[in-house]
Amino acid sequence: MKQTVSLAPFASPFAGHVEMSKFRKFLPPFLLLSPSIVLLLTFVHIPAIHTIYLSFFSTPKGRRPSKFKGLENYQDMIADPVFWKVLGNNVIYAITTIPASIIIALIMAQLVNSALPGRPFLRFSFFLPVVLPLIAVGNIWLFFYLPGFGLIDQIGSLFGLPNTNILGSSETVLWGIVGVSIWKESGFYMIFFLAALQGIPRDLKEAAYIEGASNWQIFRRITLPLITPTILFISVIATINAFIRIEHLFSMTQGGPNYNSALLLYYLYENAFVFWDTAYAIAQSVFLIVLLSIIGIGQIFLMDRRVHYQ
Amino acid sequence: MSAISIKKLNKFYDSNHVIRDASIEIESNSFTVLVGPSGCGKSTILRMIAGLEDVDSGTISIDGNVVNSLHPKERGIAMVFQSYALYPHMTVFDNIGFGLRLEGQRKHEIEAGVSEAARILKIEDLLDRKPRQLSGGQRQRVAIGRAITRKPKVFLFDEPLSNLDAALRVQMRVELAKLHDQLDATMLYVTHDQTEAMTMADKIIVLDKGEVSQAGAPLELYNSPKNSFVASFIGSPTMNFLKARAVAVTKGSVTIKLLDDLELKIANGDTAVSVDDELTLGVRPENLSLVQAPKAHCTGKVSVVEQLGSQTFLYLETADGPLILEADGSTKIKVGDLAPISFDVKRCHLFNKHHQKI
Amino acid sequence: MPSERPDWTLRAPPKTWDEQLEIAKKLTVKDASGTVTQYGIRIPSAGFPSWLFSGIVYGNGGKITNGLGTATFIDSPEVIDALEKLVALSTTEGVMRPGILEWGATPQAFFEGQTAMMWTTTGNLTNVSKNAPFDWGVAMLPGLKQNGAPTGGGNFFLSKDLSGDELSATIDFVKWISAPAQSIAWTKATGYVSPRAETYETAAMKAFLAEFPYPIIAKNQLQYAGPEFSTYENPKTVGIFNRAIEAVMLGEKQPAPAMKEAQAAIEEILKDYR
C-alpha cells in the first residue's frame, strides 16, 4: 500500500486515496486482459448468445420474413423422430469410440514406448492415420468396406466368410463409421499417451519392480495413476470429437442409409445447408452446445477428484 | 561370510565393455562403498546386484546363493535411488507400505511395518503427506523407510545424497552411519564422492573404467594406494605427482632425481626397479612442510593461499612442477613469497610408468 | 442401362421386368456352400435411390409428382407396387445383393463378375466400354408394364436481373456449351445423352455411333422417360422420399406404410405452396 502511495504523488494523502489506489491497482490488469476479453466476446460469447436468441424465430422463406416462434423450434426438435434417431446414433458412437480409442491408444503407446524391435516403424504406422484428413480416411475405408471386392470381404473370403454390405445395411453401417473413427483417433491419442509415458521417470518403475510389482501392477499402480491427467484431457477431447468430427460421413455414407449412420452435427448440417431450415438447425446447435458443455464440465468435475496432478 | 560375492563380472552395452572381470567381496553387516568417477561402472554393478541389469558373464551371489537369474524381489535386497523414486501419487504411508502391500500382507501388518520404519527415521508426522510436500531430506528418509520395511539382507544405495545441499549431506552421512549400526544390515553404497566414501565406509572399492582398482579399508587405501589412480582419487586435496628418474637403487631404497636435479632417497620394498627407470613421485599435501631454508629440499613460489582455519593449503610453483602443501592454520605466508619446502621421504610413493606402485 | 456378363447363354436382352427377373435368376450363381458368387442384377441405390426407382414407376404406368412441384403421388398403387418389385429382387427373389448398393462400386462389381446385369447412369458407358474385360451389351430399362426411364442432368439458370451484354453473353455461353461440337466430345468421353436433338444429325456423331452404337439406346429411350422428382423445398421432400425408399430396402419398413408416411410428410411441406 505504501508503495502505491509513493508512486502516486498526485493522489491525496487523505480522503479518496484508497479508492484511487484501488482503481490504479485494477486498471493495468484490466487493460492487459482487454484484447482477450474483446476477442472472446466478439467470437465466442456474443455469437453464442445471438444463436440462442435466433433459435426462437422461424426460418425466413422467400416473401415470408422470420417471425417469433417462442419454443416452437425446440418443440419440433422433440417431435422429430429423425432427431432422436441421430441423437441415439451419436450416443452409441460416443460410448463406443471414446473408450475403444483411448484403450487402443494406451496399448499402442505402451508398445511404442517399450523396447521392441522395429519401434520406428510401429510409431510411424500408428501415427499414419493422424496425418490423413478424416475425409480421406473415409474414402480409404469406403474401399475396405466395399461388398464383394473390398479388403474386408477379400480377407473374409479367405476364411470362407460370406460377403458383407457393412455400409449398406442398417444393422452395421454405424459400426462401420465407429471403426473408422477408432482407427483415426487412436493414433492421435497415442501421441499424448506416449508423451505422458515418457514423462514418467524410469526410476519409479524400477523401484516398483524391485519391490516385487508385476508388469500389470506397475501399470495399474504406478503408470495409470500418473497419466490420469492425460486420460482426462483425452476423454474431454474425445467426447467433443465424437460430436463434432463428421467429415467421414460425407465421404462414406452421407448419414445414410435412412439416417442409420447420421450423427447430430451431420443432421444439423443437413437442416442448415441442404434443407435451408436454418431456424431448426440453430435450435439443434443450441442443444449441441448445451450438451457438450454439460458433458465437458461433468467430466472434469467427476474425474478431478481422482486425477493426480504432479 | 560374504554377504555379496561377485566373481568375474562382465557387462557389455553393445560393443562397450563397461564392466571388466570385476570380482568383489562384501562382508556381512559391513558398510561398503563403491566409489569411482562418473562412467566407471559403479552404478551398473549396483543395478546388476539389484537385478535391474542382466549379467553378461560372471556370477553374483547373495548369502551364498547365485542370484544372476533371480527376480529382484527374490534377492533379499532393497534399493534407494538417487532420485528417491518416490511414487508421487501416493502418501508417505503408501510409499513405505507399497512393498508390503505387494507381498499381500494384511492391513495391520503393513501398518506395523510402516510405523516401525517411520519411528526409526523419525518421520511419523509425515505419513499423510504426498512426496511433493516434503523437503529433500524428508524425501530421502522416506526412500530409506521404503527400503527398511522390506527387511532386506542388503541395502543398495545409488548416490543417495547427491541431490541434497552440502549441510544436509553431512548430516545425512552421520544418520546413515547410525542407521547402519542400528539395523545391523549389509549396506552397499555407490558414490562418486571420495569424502563420503572415506567418512562412511568400513571398506572402499575403487572402480576405474569398469575394473576394480583397489579394495580395502579407507586408511589402507589412503596410505598404501596400489596405483596412481587410487592415490589421486582418494584424498582431498589430491596427491601431488612429480616426474622423476631412478638414479641409484639399493636394497630398501631408491634414489630419484627430479626435474631440477633434486635428489631424494625414498624407502622402497622389494619391487624391481632399475637405474634410469621413468618414475612418478607421489606425495600428499600433508607430507610436504614449510621448513627453515637450510633444511629445505627445494623452494616454491606461492600462487594461491587457501585458508581453512585449522590448516592452510598453499599452491606452489616449483622447478619440479606444481605442488599443493598443507601448512598449519596460523602460517603468515603470502602469495608471491618463496617457500622453502621439505619432503617427508618416508611418506612418499613411487609409481612406475604403468602407474603401479613400486 | 442393363448390361450383361459374357457367360450368359441368352443373347437377347430382357425387354420386360419379368424377363429381366427370369434372366437374373439364371445368372445368379452360388458356390457349394450356398454363398452367392455372382448376382443376377444390381440396381444402385446409395444416397438417392429415388432416381432409378422413378424409372421403375414410369415403367409401371405411374407418376411421382404433378409436374408443378406442388404435389406428389408416392403413395399411389403404381409406386408402392414398383417398390415392392424392386425390394423383391434382393429379398424373395435373391437375385440382387441385399442392402444399399453404392453407385461408384457398381461398374466395378460388373467388371469383377459380382453381378451379371446392372442398371446405371449413361455417364458410365465409356467407362464400361474401356474397362469391361469381356463382351457386353446395352439395352433399355425393362419395364413392369411398359418402357420407362428416369431423366437426370443439370440446368442452366438465367437470372431475371441480367440484361444487356451480360444477358447476351450468358445466352451465348449456354448456346455454345450445348452446341453439337461440345456435346459430341462430352458424349464420347462419358456416354451421356447430348442435350440437343440436332447433335444426332451431325456427321461426326453419326460416324461415332456407327462405330459404337450403344449411346443411341439411351437417346431412343428418352421417349419413354419421365421427369426427375422435383417440388418446392426439393432437398427436404426428395430427402423424405429417398429415406423412405432406403428404409424399405433395409427392411426397416414395409413399402405401403413407408410410402404413405413419406407422402404425408411431403404433403405437410407442400400444402403451403398451393
Side-chain angles (χ1 to χ4, degrees):
Chain A
M1 215 24 82
K2 255 185 185 160
Q3 245 179 349
T4 313
V5 173
S6 69
L7 283 171
F10 51 84
S12 156
F14 306 108
H17 90 265
V18 173
E19 284 74 15
M20 191 63 195
S21 66
K22 235 183 196 170
F23 176 71
R24 288 177 60 83
K25 198 170 155 188
F26 287 113
L27 187 62
F30 180 76
L31 283 176
L32 289 170
L33 283 174
S34 57
S36 329
I37 293 174
V38 168
L39 286 174
L40 275 176
L41 284 178
T42 314
F43 294 107
V44 179
H45 296 116
I46 294 173
I49 292 163
H50 189 59
T51 302
I52 294 171
Y53 170 77
L54 286 177
S55 72
F56 301 122
F57 290 84
S58 68
T59 305
K61 276 179 194 166
R63 276 154 288 165
R64 274 171 300 170
S66 175
K67 63 174 195 286
F68 185 74
K69 283 175 83 183
L71 291 172
E72 222 174 289
N73 286 324
Y74 293 98
Q75 284 161 354
D76 287 351
M77 190 167 82
I78 291 165
D80 179 0
V82 178
F83 171 76
W84 289 107
K85 183 169 185 175
V86 299
L87 181 61
N89 286 346
N90 218 326
V91 169
I92 294 170
Y93 181 79
I95 61 175
T96 50
T97 58
I98 296 167
S101 53
I102 287 180
I103 290 169
I104 291 171
L106 193 48
I107 292 171
M108 293 195 304
Q110 283 275 23
L111 277 179
V112 166
N113 196 35
S114 58
L116 281 180
R119 198 161 64 152
F121 177 73
L122 264 188
R123 279 191 193 191
F124 173 74
S125 317
F126 291 159
F127 191 63
L128 186 63
V130 179
V131 297
L132 293 172
L134 186 50
I135 201 145
V137 170
N139 268 319
I140 294 170
W141 279 76
L142 203 55
F143 289 108
F144 289 176
Y145 287 144
L146 276 180
F149 42 86
L151 185 71
I152 289 175
D153 274 3
Q154 295 218 354
I155 292 171
S157 68
L158 295 178
F159 300 98
L161 296 171
N163 281 346
T164 60
N165 190 355
I166 291 171
L167 298 184
S169 316
S170 45
E171 299 82 19
T172 51
V173 65
L174 188 58
W175 301 116
I177 300 294
V178 164
V180 172
S181 172
I182 293 171
W183 186 79
K184 166 81 179 155
E185 303 289 330
S186 302
F188 183 51
Y189 303 147
M190 178 197 75
I191 302 302
F192 293 97
F193 280 128
L194 189 56
L197 289 178
Q198 293 187 339
I200 299 176
R202 196 180 62 160
D203 286 356
L204 295 185
K205 294 179 185 173
E206 288 182 346
Y209 178 62
I210 287 179
E211 292 201 79
S214 63
N215 283 338
W216 168 248
Q217 284 170 321
I218 291 173
F219 177 76
R220 173 73 191 76
R221 304 241 171 252
I222 310 293
T223 309
L224 207 54
L226 291 179
I227 60 171
T228 42
T230 308
I231 296 176
L232 172 64
F233 170 74
I234 291 175
S235 61
V236 171
I237 297 281
T239 309
I240 293 169
N241 279 353
F243 284 90
I244 67 169
R245 298 219 59 185
I246 53 163
E247 299 99 295
H248 51 325
L249 297 184
F250 288 89
S251 59
M252 295 181 74
T253 64
Q254 295 82 46
N258 194 24
Y259 293 110
N260 280 302
S261 68
L263 302 176
L264 206 49
L265 187 59
Y266 187 88
Y267 187 51
L268 194 162
Y269 156 83
E270 195 176 70
N271 276 298
F273 301 109
V274 178
F275 304 155
W276 293 102
D277 192 348
T278 46
Y280 187 37
I282 286 169
Q284 290 183 339
S285 301
V286 172
F287 175 83
L288 190 58
I289 292 169
V290 172
L291 180 74
L292 285 179
S293 307
I294 292 171
I295 293 172
I297 294 167
Q299 254 174 334
I300 289 170
F301 269 102
L302 201 75
M303 287 193 68
D304 215 18
R305 276 178 280 153
R306 301 190 52 187
V307 169
H308 162 77
Y309 289 101
Q310 241 174 327
Chain B
M1 187 176 81
S2 293
I4 305 176
S5 173
I6 294 174
K7 297 218 161 64
K8 296 261 175 199
L9 192 65
N10 281 283
K11 177 75 184 172
F12 296 85
Y13 287 130
D14 298 324
S15 58
N16 292 335
H17 195 175
V18 294
I19 304 295
R20 299 159 182 265
D21 275 341
S23 293
I24 294 170
E25 297 296 323
I26 293 163
E27 283 76 34
S28 279
N29 296 341
S30 70
F31 195 115
T32 301
V33 175
L34 263 177
V35 70
S38 60
C40 71
K42 55 192 188 298
S43 285
T44 306
I45 291 181
L46 195 77
R47 291 169 60 81
M48 286 162 95
I49 296 170
L52 293 173
E53 301 279 348
D54 291 332
V55 172
D56 288 335
S57 75
T59 57
I60 298 174
S61 311
I62 296 176
D63 266 3
N65 304 315
V66 174
V67 297
N68 282 28
S69 55
L70 288 187
H71 189 279
K73 69 172 174 186
E74 293 159 344
R75 298 185 179 204
I77 51 104
M79 183 156 164
V80 176
F81 290 80
Q82 180 177 359
S83 65
Y84 318 133
L86 300 183
Y87 311 123
H89 54 296
M90 296 185 195
T91 60
V92 168
F93 181 96
D94 291 334
N95 261 285
I96 296 176
F98 187 64
L100 301 177
R101 198 165 152 198
L102 289 174
E103 284 169 16
Q105 299 214 8
R106 288 156 188 277
K107 209 177 160 202
H108 69 267
E109 289 169 327
I110 296 172
E111 275 170 14
V114 172
S115 49
E116 167 74 1
R119 188 185 55 73
I120 294 172
L121 295 161
K122 303 187 187 67
I123 50 171
E124 288 107 320
D125 52 338
L126 303 178
L127 291 177
D128 293 332
R129 300 217 194 148
K130 292 274 182 73
R132 66 172 179 277
Q133 298 165 303
L134 303 178
S135 69
Q138 289 169 332
R139 287 179 201 192
Q140 176 69 74
R141 276 170 231 257
V142 175
I144 295 170
R146 201 166 62 180
I148 289 177
T149 50
R150 303 190 52 236
K151 303 202 187 318
K153 290 177 234 164
V154 179
F155 285 87
L156 304 174
F157 292 93
D158 189 6
E159 308 231 12
L161 304 185
S162 56
N163 285 348
L164 301 178
D165 63 52
L168 202 51
R169 213 178 301 167
V170 173
Q171 184 192 331
M172 286 305 295
R173 261 176 10 210
V174 177
E175 289 192 22
L176 273 177
K178 278 191 199 156
L179 190 69
H180 176 238
D181 293 342
Q182 201 175 342
L183 292 177
D184 230 18
T186 308
M187 291 189 173
L188 179 59
Y189 187 105
V190 159
T191 181
H192 63 276
D193 181 349
Q194 63 90 27
T195 315
E196 275 178 26
M198 291 296 286
T199 51
M200 300 168 79
D202 301 329
K203 180 180 177 181
I204 294 178
I205 295 159
V206 182
L207 283 177
D208 179 28
K209 299 190 188 77
E211 282 178 284
V212 176
S213 206
Q214 189 174 358
L219 284 181
E220 189 185 329
L221 265 58
Y222 187 82
N223 293 327
S224 323
K226 273 187 177 166
N227 52 48
S228 58
F229 176 77
V230 174
S232 70
F233 193 78
I234 301 288
S236 174
T238 188
M239 185 183 273
N240 297 298
F241 293 100
L242 297 174
K243 281 194 172 172
R245 193 165 53 81
V247 290
V249 180
T250 60
K251 196 171 168 62
S253 76
V254 179
T255 305
I256 57 163
K257 195 180 229 180
L258 299 179
L259 290 180
D260 69 338
D261 292 345
L262 168 64
E263 289 195 3
L264 292 172
K265 194 176 179 187
I266 311 286
N268 179 36
D270 298 329
T271 319
V273 62
S274 12
V275 172
D276 273 354
D277 276 359
E278 296 290 332
L279 299 173
T280 303
L281 171 71
V283 58
R284 293 199 184 276
E286 70 266 28
N287 300 133
L288 293 171
S289 47
L290 291 178
V291 290
Q292 294 303 316
K295 290 187 193 166
H297 288 112
C298 64
T299 57
K301 194 176 169 197
V302 178
S303 61
V304 176
V305 177
E306 262 183 15
Q307 282 182 317
L308 300 183
S310 58
Q311 73 262 67
T312 302
F313 291 109
L314 302 179
Y315 289 73
L316 304 165
E317 303 293 339
T318 76
D320 304 308
L323 288 174
I324 304 172
L325 179 149
E326 185 185 327
D328 53 62
S330 57
T331 183
K332 298 280 187 297
I333 203 156
K334 299 187 297 297
V335 171
D337 290 351
L338 274 181
I341 306 161
S342 161
F343 288 74
D344 180 352
V345 291
K346 294 194 196 76
R347 292 288 181 82
C348 282
H349 307 270
L350 285 176
F351 302 96
N352 65 18
K353 62 183 173 196
H354 305 297
H355 310 294
Q356 299 303 308
K357 170 138 188 191
I358 60 168
Chain C
M1 309 260 104
S3 310
E4 291 101 3
R5 287 268 299 159
D7 43 346
W8 69 320
T9 49
L10 307 146
R11 275 284 159 187
K15 289 196 179 59
T16 65
W17 189 270
D18 289 341
E19 280 178 33
Q20 175 183 261
L21 181 59
E22 188 189 324
I23 294 171
K25 280 179 182 168
K26 287 181 183 160
L27 292 175
T28 299
V29 183
K30 293 180 182 175
D31 66 12
S33 66
T35 309
V36 178
T37 56
Q38 172 183 289
Y39 283 100
I41 189 161
R42 175 166 171 136
I43 301 176
S45 46
F48 44 100
S50 66
W51 187 55
L52 285 180
F53 174 67
S54 62
I56 306 175
V57 172
Y58 295 135
N60 204 22
K63 275 164 61 170
I64 49 173
T65 63
N66 68 354
L68 300 170
T70 54
T72 59
F73 313 116
I74 60 174
D75 58 345
S76 65
E78 292 85 1
V79 174
I80 293 168
D81 177 59
L83 188 51
E84 282 167 350
K85 294 286 177 3
L86 172 62
V87 172
L89 292 178
S90 50
T91 54
T92 49
E93 308 293 355
V95 296
M96 184 162 82
R97 182 188 290 281
I100 299 299
L101 301 171
E102 277 292 326
W103 286 87
T106 295
Q108 190 70 20
F110 181 64
F111 302 154
E112 304 219 353
Q114 306 225 338
T115 183
M117 295 186 279
M118 64 170 171
W119 287 33
T120 187
T121 160
T122 53
N124 253 321
L125 194 51
T126 306
N127 174 25
V128 174
S129 80
K130 281 186 178 152
N131 295 308
F134 43 74
D135 197 16
W136 53 282
V138 176
M140 286 190 199
L141 298 177
L144 281 158
K145 289 180 188 152
Q146 62 195 49
N147 284 92
T151 46
N155 301 309
F156 285 105
F157 294 94
L158 272 60
S159 166
K160 66 179 179 191
D161 297 332
L162 288 177
S163 62
D165 288 350
E166 280 180 346
L167 182 61
S168 55
T170 310
I171 292 171
D172 281 352
F173 174 76
V174 174
K175 279 182 177 164
W176 175 84
I177 194 78
S178 57
Q182 281 60 252
S183 288
I184 291 167
W186 182 236
T187 300
K188 278 183 179 174
T190 61
Y192 279 119
V193 175
S194 296
R196 286 203 230 160
E198 66 193 81
T199 307
Y200 289 89
E201 305 306 322
T202 60
M205 183 63 113
K206 281 180 173 162
F208 170 60
L209 291 175
E211 209 172 285
F212 184 61
Y214 289 143
I216 200 68
I217 296 171
K219 187 237 173 195
N220 292 340
Q221 189 180 236
L222 281 175
Q223 57 188 306
Y224 310 115
E228 196 175 357
F229 185 103
S230 177
T231 72
Y232 285 94
E233 295 203 30
N234 199 56
K236 211 165 197 172
T237 54
V238 77
I240 292 168
F241 188 29
N242 278 324
R243 300 296 88 81
I245 298 170
E246 282 170 2
V248 175
M249 297 190 76
L250 293 167
E252 292 176 350
K253 286 178 183 166
Q254 287 302 308
M259 290 298 108
K260 291 200 162 96
E261 233 174 77
Q263 173 70 16
I266 293 171
E267 195 68 8
E268 189 63 30
I269 294 165
L270 294 185
K271 68 173 197 282
D272 294 349
Y273 293 91
R274 285 181 209 135

